[in-house]
């Protein structure tokens, strides 16, 4: 359990389980402890003006704090914080994109002056990703505005695209911002990441505080590097049990949202712990945190561990300080799930909390399948879909659209061998299954977008999608029906033309 | 909703709750360090004044008060209401295809207003903004729970403000929408103490008295208590966080 391994464990551990695991696994656990708490690249705390050791990072505290509270305490140069406190937080990274960047820049210039400089040119990350492969002139202009601003401000991290006819000739272009942030090493434990996109919470997978903000707040951050934030109380989700091989993190978060509703975590932090969470890869942890906002959450966090450090090894040389919830930290509520008993889920139209078992929807005829977005367009999402197609050996019965999140994901589809396939790549398996050719990486049709967006739902159809929202009109047409599902369930549904439990093919 | 499915997909679910003492309503979410006493007071002359029928005056922005006290503070909002339900997400407030419009650009700001709430499904037979109109005739939007959920797009409160909405009254708000409403000063996001959206109909004549935290539906003759807008009120009145910060000396005047 993460909690028992972390230097400051938490108060909600099932004591019996802890004792058992401590008896049977004491040696491996202590070994892991060394690995997890003393990663090579972690240096000192960045708060030189403080004379005393900061309890926020040492764990030797008078009043216990959650990891979200600790991150905000460090960032606001305070030793102690409680939920409800409003504090000025120093921002480590501000991300913006082509949809909200121009507006944020407009506010920055209006309020700080035409010649103002951003607070730190290395802490602003600008990622065009939403409306890229479109002939919409205003959308194209918005990317131009970003480019002009980045040139003028000498922004260090700008992932530009100039030649829209072929994304591959744009080496700087990444694609979906939340995945690019992780792949380019901008997500680091213990830090504060703000972004002008609600799914900025994805980065909580790295044990950092990450949340979405509006243009005006982003304009303020561009000028000052600070923002007034309210410290959220934390809801704790303990997921234990071996995850069945037909489930993915998408099922876990759909389960949670179904349980607490689309407003169940409004203003709150969601902390994910337990043996199941520990077993998840970074990409799966990102899926879990990505949809925190669909429950109204302010941020999601997963405690950093060896999986986190390994992912970060070749991506960043910036020192970071992971923090963990104290043993006696106060959580607003705790939810426990035995994941070994969970079944594949979907969220039916028109709300992400409209949960149902995939098998309960087997009579729902569908028109198309969409695999993509920050939620379900990562390399592992496509590997999962390929696994289902491979296991079935059949062809899809409905149009199946594939939109890799980033250029890196796209390259993985054409180069990584799919396990058990005899060396085939995802792209080969998708072609054999009759899917559409993987499209240029971007946010694509997850949020509809301009009318000429690839795979946009322009007529009222029924779609099974690995994306994050299914409110009316989300993927284009107001009367379109979206079933949110895992990549396994999406691929299985493509093969039958109905919403389908992936166990039909995986077993 | 989850309740609508018969078989629970999670047989192993347990739950325990530990209430913190803090109350965490959205109105408490913005506490600026140098806030003086609430400058807003009500004008008695506007109390319960009968409506002027369908010609009820609308306001162009939350910051443009229909009636003012001597200190220039808005005291009442008066106009027709547009009623929506629960979980009105940002795609319904302003569909993603219009996000190419940049709110800080004045001509595009106006255009955003013309698309406000155009993403509502066809079950809403009355349009919020008539086609070929730039503004809505409804200056008050009344909604249910979780208003403004979904994306962080500031285009959402901006579109409502640009359409001439002065205030939204909802049972509850999604966090980012509430924050964006205050930060931009585009609309007052009031919370109702009871579920008003079930008792009001689109086109009802409404007065909101800010100082009294009261909503009056002149059409039905009913009155409702609103939760206090608190410290967010003066920020919206000033026209957003930057204007407020200048007004109160937190940052130098431009």
């Amino acid at each position: 359990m993460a909690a028992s391994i972390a230097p400051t464990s938490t108060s909600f551990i099932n004591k019996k389980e802890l004792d058992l695991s401590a008896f049977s696994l004491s040696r491996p656990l202590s070994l892991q402890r060394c690995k997890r708490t003393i990663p090579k690249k972690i240096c000192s705390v960045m708060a030189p003006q403080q004379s005393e050791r900061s309890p926020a990072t040492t764990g030797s505290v008078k009043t216990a704090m959650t990891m979200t509270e600790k991150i905000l305490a460090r960032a606001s140069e305070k030793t102690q914080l409680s939920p409800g406190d409003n504090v000025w937080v120093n921002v480590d990274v501000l991300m913006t994109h082509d949809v909200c960047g121009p507006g944020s820049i407009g506010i920055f210039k209006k309020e700080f002056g035409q010649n103002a400089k951003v607070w730190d040119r290395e802490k602003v990350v600008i990622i065009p990703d939403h409306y890229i492969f479109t002939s919409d002139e205003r959308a194209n202009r918005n990317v131009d505005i970003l480019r002009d601003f980045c040139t003028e401000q000498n922004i260090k991290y700008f992932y530009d695209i100039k030649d829209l006819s072929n994304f591959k000739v744009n080496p700087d272009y990444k694609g979906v911002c939340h995945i690019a942030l992780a792949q380019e090493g901008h997500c680091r434990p213990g830090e504060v990441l703000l972004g002008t996109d609600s799914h900025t919470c994805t980065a909580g997978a790295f044990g950092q505080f990450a949340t979405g903000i509006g243009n005006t707040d982003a304009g303020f951050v561009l000028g000052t590097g600070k923002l007034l934030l309210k410290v959220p109380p934390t809801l704790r989700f303990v997921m234990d049990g071996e995850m069945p091989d037909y489930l993915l993190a998408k099922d876990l978060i759909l389960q949670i949202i179904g349980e607490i509703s689309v407003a169940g975590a409004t203003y709150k932090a969601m902390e994910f712990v337990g043996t199941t969470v520990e077993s998840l890869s970074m990409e799966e942890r990102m899926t879990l945190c990505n949809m925190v906002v669909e429950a109204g959450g302010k941020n999601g966090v997963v405690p950093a561990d060896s999986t986190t450090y390994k992912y970060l090894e070749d991506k960043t040389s910036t020192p970071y300080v992971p923090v963990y919830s104290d043993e006696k930290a106060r959580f607003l509520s705790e939810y426990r799930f035995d994941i070994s008993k969970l079944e594949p889920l979907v969220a039916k139209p028109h709300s992400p909390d409209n949960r149902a078992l995939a098998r309960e929807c087997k009579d729902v005829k569908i028109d198309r399948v969409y695999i993509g977005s920050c939620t379900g367009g990562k390399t592992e999402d496509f590997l999962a879909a390929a696994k289902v197609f491979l296991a079935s050996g059949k062809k899809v019965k409905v149009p199946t659209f594939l939109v890799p999140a980033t250029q890196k994901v796209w390259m993985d589809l054409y180069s990584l061998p799919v396990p058990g396939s005899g060396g085939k790549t995802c792209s080969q398996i998708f072609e054999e299954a009759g899917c559409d050719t993987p499209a240029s990486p971007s946010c694509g049709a997850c949020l509809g977008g301009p009318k000429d967006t690839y795979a946009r739902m322009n007529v009222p159809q029924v779609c099974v999608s690995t994306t994050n929202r299914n409110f009316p009109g989300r993927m284009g047409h107001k009367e379109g029906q979206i079933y949110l599902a895992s990549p396994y369930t999406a691929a299985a549904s493509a093969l039958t033309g109905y919403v389908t439990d992936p166990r039909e093919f995986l077993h | 909703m989850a309740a609508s499915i018969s078989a629970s997909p999670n047989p192993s679910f347990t739950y325990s709750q530990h209430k913190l003492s803090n109350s965490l309503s959205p109105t408490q979410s913005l506490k600026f360090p140098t806030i003086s006493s609430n400058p807003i007071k009500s004008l008695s002359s506007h109390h319960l004044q009968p409506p002027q029928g369908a010609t009820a005056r609308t306001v162009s922005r939350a910051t443009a008060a229909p009636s003012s006290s001597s200190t220039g503070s808005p005291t009442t909002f008066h106009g027709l209401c547009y009623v929506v339900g629960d979980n009105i997400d940002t795609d319904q407030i302003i569909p993603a295809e219009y996000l190419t419009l940049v709110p800080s650009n004045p001509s595009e700001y106006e255009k955003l207003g013309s698309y406000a709430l155009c993403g509502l499904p066809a079950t809403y037979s009355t349009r919020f903004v008539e086609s070929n109109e730039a503004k809505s005739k409804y200056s008050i939007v009344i909604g249910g729970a979780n208003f403004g959920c979904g994306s962080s797009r500031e285009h959402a409160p901006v579109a409502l403000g640009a359409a001439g909405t002065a205030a939204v009254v909802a049972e509850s708000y999604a966090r980012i929408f509430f924050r964006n409403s205050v930060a931009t000063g585009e609309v007052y996001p009031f919370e109702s103490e009871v579920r008003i959206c079930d008792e009001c109909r689109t086109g009802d004549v409404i007065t909101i008295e800010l100082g009294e935290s009261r909503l009056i539906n002149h059409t039905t003759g009913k009155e409702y208590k609103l939760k206090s807008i608190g410290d967010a009120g003066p920020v919206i009145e000033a026209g957003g966080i930057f204007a407020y910060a200048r007004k109160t000396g937190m940052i130098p005047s431009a």
Side-chain angles (χ1 to χ4, degrees), chain A residues 12 83-84 86 88 99-100 102-103 106-107 111-112 131 136 138-139 141-142 196-198 211-217 219-220 227-230 233 255 258-259 262-263 266-267 293 297-298 330-338 341-342 345 348 353-357 360 447 449-451 456 469 471-472 474 478-479, chain B residues 1-2 4-26 28-33 87 89-92 96-105 108 111 118-122 146 149-155 173-176 178-180 183-184 241-243 246 250-251:
Chain A
F12 284 99
N86 291 290
W88 287 97
V99 161
C100 294
I107 287 164
E111 302 291 350
F112 292 93
Y131 305 154
D136 186 296
R138 216 183 279 122
R141 174 208 64 178
N142 288 347
T196 59
D197 191 290
S198 61
T211 196
I213 58 172
N215 294 359
T216 301
D217 281 341
F220 190 94
L227 193 63
L228 183 64
L229 290 179
K230 187 189 187 79
Q255 165 70 3
E259 204 64 50
V262 285
T266 299
Y267 282 94
V293 70
K298 186 167 193 166
R330 291 209 299 170
F331 298 95
L332 193 62
S333 313
E334 185 186 66
Y335 298 79
R336 284 185 169 271
F337 298 90
D338 180 354
K341 291 172 184 161
L342 200 66
L345 297 168
K348 298 188 288 183
D353 63 3
N354 195 6
R355 180 186 62 189
L357 297 175
E360 288 177 318
L447 75 166
K451 288 275 190 315
R456 186 181 192 273
R469 290 190 186 128
F471 296 114
R474 171 67 179 181
K478 276 197 258 186
E479 270 77 50
Chain B
M1 304 300 266
S4 68
I5 52 169
S6 49
S8 169
N10 177 36
S12 56
F13 170 76
T14 58
Y15 170 69
S16 62
Q17 188 150 33
H18 308 268
K19 273 265 181 269
L20 289 184
S21 57
N22 308 61
S23 160
L24 291 149
S25 72
Q28 291 183 305
S29 68
L30 280 168
K31 284 201 177 142
F32 288 81
N87 300 319
D89 82 301
T90 51
D91 276 293
Q92 293 177 76
E97 62 186 290
Y98 305 117
L99 299 186
T100 56
L101 295 162
V102 175
S104 58
N105 178 332
E108 294 177 29
K111 217 159 174 137
C118 80
L120 288 171
N146 204 28
C149 59
S151 123
S152 64
R153 64 189 71 157
E154 201 163 278
H155 308 64
Y173 291 91
R175 178 184 64 83
I176 309 177
F178 185 91
R179 171 105 183 191
N180 287 344
T184 57
I241 49 166
F242 282 101
R246 291 211 165 85
M250 288 167 71
I251 56 176

Side-chain angles (χ1 to χ4, degrees), chain A residues 195-238:
Chain A
T196 59
D197 191 290
S198 61
H199 292 112
T200 303
C201 55
T202 309
F206 290 82
Q208 67 177 140
F209 179 88
T211 196
I213 58 172
N215 294 359
T216 301
D217 281 341
F220 190 94
V221 176
L222 279 172
T224 64
K226 293 176 193 290
L227 193 63
L228 183 64
L229 290 179
K230 187 189 187 79
V231 180
T234 298
L235 303 177
R236 199 151 181 262
F237 297 85
V238 187

Side-chain angles (χ1 to χ4, degrees), chain B:
Chain B
M1 304 300 266
S4 68
I5 52 169
S6 49
S8 169
N10 177 36
S12 56
F13 170 76
T14 58
Y15 170 69
S16 62
Q17 188 150 33
H18 308 268
K19 273 265 181 269
L20 289 184
S21 57
N22 308 61
S23 160
L24 291 149
S25 72
T27 48
Q28 291 183 305
S29 68
L30 280 168
K31 284 201 177 142
F32 288 81
T34 58
I35 283 175
S36 57
S37 63
N38 193 331
I40 295 162
K41 52 181 184 179
S42 78
L43 266 188
S44 56
S45 64
H46 280 79
H47 280 185
L48 300 170
Q49 206 166 41
Q52 306 300 309
T55 59
R57 183 151 64 131
T58 58
V59 289
S60 60
R61 277 194 58 169
T63 49
S67 63
S68 296
S69 70
S70 55
T71 59
S73 304
T75 55
T76 63
F77 304 104
H78 185 69
L80 305 179
C81 74
Y82 189 85
V83 182
V84 294
D86 292 326
N87 300 319
I88 300 301
D89 82 301
T90 51
D91 276 293
Q92 293 177 76
I93 299 170
I94 183 78
E97 62 186 290
Y98 305 117
L99 299 186
T100 56
L101 295 162
V102 175
S104 58
N105 178 332
S107 67
E108 294 177 29
Y109 171 91
E110 295 299 324
K111 217 159 174 137
L112 277 167
S114 69
Y115 297 121
L117 286 171
C118 80
L120 288 171
T123 48
Y124 290 85
S125 50
T126 308
R127 288 181 65 99
F128 181 65
V129 183
E130 293 295 340
S131 16
N132 304 320
E133 295 279 335
K135 304 262 183 202
S136 172
K137 63 177 179 181
Y138 306 100
S139 61
I140 293 161
V141 173
I142 295 180
N146 204 28
F147 189 91
C149 59
S151 123
S152 64
R153 64 189 71 157
E154 201 163 278
H155 308 64
V158 167
L160 291 173
T165 307
V168 179
V169 181
E171 210 178 346
S172 62
Y173 291 91
R175 178 184 64 83
I176 309 177
F177 178 88
F178 185 91
R179 171 105 183 191
N180 287 344
S181 298
V182 177
T184 57
E186 287 289 336
V187 290
Y188 279 86
F190 290 107
E191 276 192 303
S192 55
E193 292 201 330
V194 294
R195 199 175 159 77
I196 301 180
C197 65
D198 292 339
E199 299 185 14
C200 294
R201 289 180 146 193
T202 293
D204 284 0
V205 180
I206 302 288
T207 297
I208 295 171
E209 295 173 343
L210 196 63
E212 310 288 320
S213 294
R214 177 163 53 188
L215 182 146
I216 303 151
N217 184 332
H218 300 285
T219 308
T220 63
K222 285 189 175 176
E223 281 191 28
Y224 304 91
K225 189 103 183 86
L226 303 176
K227 290 179 187 167
S228 169
I229 191 80
D231 295 341
V235 180
I236 302 163
E237 186 215 333
I241 49 166
F242 282 101
Y244 177 81
R246 291 211 165 85
K247 193 176 163 187
T248 54
M250 288 167 71
I251 56 176
S253 295

